[in-house]
Amino acid sequence: ANSLAAAWRLLRGLSEEQRRYERRLVLEHPAFAPLCQWLLRDARRLARGDLVFSLHALVSLGVPQSTLLVQTLLRVCQEKLNQLDNRCLSVLATALIGLEKDQNVSALQAGLRLLVEQRIPHIRDIFILQNLMKCIGKDAPVSLKRKLEKAVLKDVDHLTFLNAQRVFFALVAINYCSIPILNACSEKIMENIHDAPFRQLILILEACRDLQYRNIKLFSGVANYVTSTVCLWDKRQIILLLSTFEALGFQPTELMDIFAEKVTEDPEFLNLKYLLIILRVYSQLNYLPRGQKQLFIETLHSCLNKYLPNISSMELLKAVYSLCILGYLPHPALDQLLQKENLDELQSGDLYKDQKDMMLQCVKACVELDSPTFTKPALVLAEDFSSSVSFNHRKAREALLELLGDENMFRENVQLLHKYHIDFEIRVDSERKKVLPVTATDDQADSSVERLAFLFVPLSAFCIGMMHPQGMLAVKKRHLTKLGYEVVMVINKKFQEMTNEDAVEFLKGKIYSRSAFPFSEANVQSSN
């Protein structure tokens, strides 16, 4: 057992490539096979610590799970499960994480869950707890997850920086978003952020994404730390960090400004992969750097033009789509994208079909509506009306009926050109003092009439902690404005939580006021 553990420890600190080479040397060593034979013969006589450490070392060294040796050790662990102390349970749990589910692994995991449930009140070691959490898996009963949560919270004040990270990853392993634990871990990470390796910061942010945990202080802290030490980081690291923030919907504006400056100063480092990531980040977060918007976007456009001869149709679509979201039409790339062979390739096959159709639809809308020659149409045609009311919009409809007194005073589920959809359309006089009746045929533009487009959207459509719309919502708002609408965006979850009386007053304020935003930034932050 000591020999196997020593072999694994020697390999543990190596790079992946070195580890593969050294692992092969260990497995092919002439003494390794006799050692495994001895272990197989005497498995049932091993002390409990030697048993679990041998299993862990063999799994880590890459000995196949299907071998008689590994399967024998798994069966012996089942027989001795009740004899294992908490430390041995922790090692066993770590070994099982690296194994595929089979009859012996499943039986061990089931037994381990029962044993952990009995012992949780007596386990005080965070390291052991987080290992056990990883092993019980995402399909563990919620009751067991809550018991583990209580056990961690008992010792949460004594968390170390390293354990705080481990607990983050353990919660991902069981798919359990414990806000009290995550808040405590976030505070510990913030206190020691200057000691955190870059890779750990990325893993922590990815864990937040997987758990759908939104902590503005943590995200801002990481962004501010990297911004203040930006000269220490490689450009590739900053790209990875920005990409992770984009997946979270968090907009680190100062860091994005600094990085945009680096791009404009030295665009040569941008290969196609990095270019597509940067385009996606800035477009989805709907942000262009202050003071250098045109220079930045023209630099990205110039880089894209270099890759046009060899770019794939899907990569081309992604690049054009991102630039269109930012309100910029890259004409050489657009011309290439709209060639018949590229469109045929994109529209063939079912892989990512919905995503490609959505992106192409957005590009076509931008080509028409963002063109410098576009003027607001005298006639805005609604392609389709639907009398059905979504369950999410029933409350709004009832509030509008109570407020306006007649369903002829508003439209619902309005479908416009380019598949744009409005939840409710209301028309008011230019002074916003009187609501005017609408009919399906009353589409003629009139300077004395203002059209209000009410959009009930999820909070996730905005950047975290801000009333700043992300990607597609920003494009929709821009295009509806060009079509002659004043857009009122309502956070649906907030609206549904209102009483009926408050909902009526809220809509009254939006209809008879020129304020386009329904909730203050402070309210959004507190809700997060």
Side-chain angles (χ1 to χ4, degrees), residues 3 8 21 44-45 108 155 227 302 355 413 418 440 504:
S3 298
W8 167 238
Y21 174 73
R44 282 179 170 77
R45 291 191 291 175
L108 255 179
D155 205 37
T227 301
S302 175
Q355 181 190 7
N413 296 326
H418 300 294
V504 171

Side-chain angles (χ1 to χ4, degrees), residues 457-459 490-498 519 527:
V457 294
L459 188 58
V490 181
I491 297 173
N492 193 46
K493 185 175 183 292
K494 285 275 189 182
F495 185 79
Q496 297 300 328
E497 292 170 354
M498 292 180 183
F519 300 105
S527 73

Side-chain angles (χ1 to χ4, degrees), residues 210-462:
D210 294 340
L211 292 169
Q212 297 185 346
Y213 172 63
R214 305 292 184 253
N215 187 321
I216 299 172
K217 286 185 179 179
L218 175 63
F219 300 163
S220 299
V222 173
N224 292 340
Y225 165 59
V226 174
T227 301
S228 64
T229 57
V230 71
C231 57
L232 304 177
W233 306 107
D234 185 85
K235 292 187 183 81
R236 290 168 296 181
Q237 290 177 310
I238 300 175
I239 289 173
L240 178 58
L241 181 66
L242 290 175
S243 179
T244 308
F245 277 138
E246 180 268 322
L248 288 164
F250 178 72
Q251 189 189 85
T253 52
E254 191 175 352
L255 182 60
M256 293 176 79
D257 284 341
I258 291 172
F259 184 73
E261 190 174 337
K262 288 181 176 292
V263 169
T264 54
E265 288 174 353
D266 177 28
E268 294 303 315
F269 80 94
L270 286 178
N271 59 26
L272 181 58
K273 176 185 174 182
Y274 294 154
L275 175 63
L276 291 175
I277 292 173
I278 291 168
L279 284 169
R280 188 192 76 235
V281 168
Y282 282 81
S283 63
Q284 291 305 311
L285 293 177
N286 182 27
Y287 187 78
L288 285 172
R290 286 167 291 200
Q292 49 179 333
K293 293 180 181 180
Q294 198 62 25
L295 176 60
F296 176 64
I297 206 162
E298 286 177 357
T299 301
L300 296 180
H301 184 203
S302 175
C303 290
L304 174 61
N305 287 340
K306 285 194 309 182
Y307 294 110
L308 289 181
N310 301 310
I311 196 169
S312 72
S313 58
M314 189 62 195
E315 290 169 334
L316 180 60
L317 175 58
K318 289 178 180 178
V320 172
Y321 170 72
S322 295
L323 285 166
C324 285
I325 285 178
L326 292 170
Y328 186 86
L329 298 178
H331 291 290
L334 260 173
D335 293 341
Q336 184 168 322
L337 175 67
L338 298 177
Q339 289 174 5
K340 186 177 184 302
E341 58 268 26
N342 283 324
L343 289 176
D344 289 346
E345 184 179 344
L346 288 167
Q347 291 167 342
S348 64
D350 294 329
L351 189 62
Y352 308 120
K353 184 177 187 305
D354 291 343
Q355 181 190 7
K356 289 187 286 189
D357 289 347
M358 178 274 295
M359 293 165 77
L360 282 169
Q361 179 65 40
C362 178
V363 169
K364 289 175 182 176
C366 290
V367 168
E368 179 182 339
L369 301 177
D370 291 331
S371 169
T373 59
F374 176 80
T375 54
K376 187 169 75 171
L379 192 67
V380 181
L381 292 175
E383 294 180 344
D384 179 40
F385 273 99
S386 173
S387 58
S388 62
V389 182
S390 158
F391 176 78
N392 286 332
H393 299 151
R394 190 169 297 161
K395 184 172 186 174
R397 186 178 193 277
E398 291 171 356
L400 286 172
L401 282 172
E402 183 175 340
L403 176 63
L404 304 177
D406 187 344
E407 60 183 17
N408 290 323
M409 303 301 285
F410 60 89
R411 280 174 164 178
E412 51 193 295
N413 296 326
V414 181
Q415 302 290 333
L416 301 175
L417 298 173
H418 300 294
K419 297 186 179 180
Y420 282 130
H421 169 267
I422 296 174
D423 296 319
F424 294 95
E425 178 188 336
I426 296 172
R427 299 182 188 181
V428 294
D429 66 291
S430 57
E431 295 182 355
R432 299 285 284 272
K433 292 181 178 180
K434 182 181 178 182
V435 175
L436 306 173
V438 295
T439 64
T441 57
D442 185 19
D443 291 305
Q444 192 68 36
D446 186 338
S447 60
S448 66
V449 175
E450 288 191 15
R451 298 166 180 262
L452 307 182
F454 277 78
L455 306 179
F456 287 77
V457 294
L459 188 58
S460 58
F462 299 92

